[in-house]
Structures are given as structure tokens and as C-alpha cells.
């Protein structure tokens, strides 16, 4: 997609997502796609200790939040 922003992985973040259950990986990919296209994730909280515009994407699967 033209104009899509690049995901910049930090530390173990890519490996962490790869370890998610399949359903959570699919949801993470969808939410990252939203962010890459300048949309807010559907469920997030501000992560101001990292940066003023940083959003933590929240993914809920059954009883766990990833």
C-alpha cells in the first residue's frame, strides 16, 4: 500500500509477537496495519513514558491481554 508507514521493531518486540497464539498474531497484524495507515488502534493506551505520541496496542484474547 502506498504511503504506509514502516513498522520499527525494538528489542524483542517482533519475537514477542511471533510467540503469540495465532488468533492474537492475526489481531496484532490488523492493528499494526491500522497504525501504518495513520489510524488509531481499536484498543490502545498512551505510553507517554516512551514518548508523547507513543501508543500501546492492547490485544485481548479470551482471559489474557497481550
Amino acid at each position: 500500500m502506498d504511503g504506509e508507514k514502516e513498522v520499527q521493531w525494538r528489542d524483542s518486540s517482533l519475537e514477542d509477537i511471533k510467540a503469540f497464539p495465532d488468533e492474537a498474531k492475526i489481531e496484532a497484524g490488523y492493528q499494526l496495519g491500522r497504525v501504518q495507515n495513520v489510524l488509531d488502534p481499536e484498543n490502545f493506551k498512551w505510553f507517554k513514558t516512551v514518548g508523547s505520541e507513543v501508543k500501546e496496542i492492547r490485544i485481548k484474547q479470551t482471559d489474557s491481554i497481550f
Side-chain angles (χ1 to χ4, degrees):
M1 209 178 269
D2 291 335
E4 197 171 75
K5 296 187 180 279
E6 180 181 351
V7 173
Q8 295 181 8
W9 302 101
R10 298 287 190 252
D11 301 321
S12 66
S13 58
L14 178 57
E15 294 304 316
D16 294 342
I17 287 178
K18 287 180 178 180
F20 286 4
D22 288 342
E23 182 181 326
K25 281 191 276 195
I26 291 166
E27 183 64 20
Y30 173 73
Q31 297 303 328
L32 287 169
R34 289 182 58 85
V35 173
Q36 286 181 284
N37 287 286
V38 196
L39 299 169
D40 282 334
E42 293 175 337
N43 186 1
F44 74 94
K45 69 177 185 176
W46 292 103
F47 205 176
K48 294 186 179 192
T49 56
V50 175
S52 63
E53 295 296 317
V54 177
K55 298 170 185 165
E56 176 184 59
I57 297 172
R58 299 170 53 101
I59 299 170
K60 183 170 175 137
Q61 181 188 5
T62 58
D63 295 331
S64 302
I65 293 180
F66 295 93

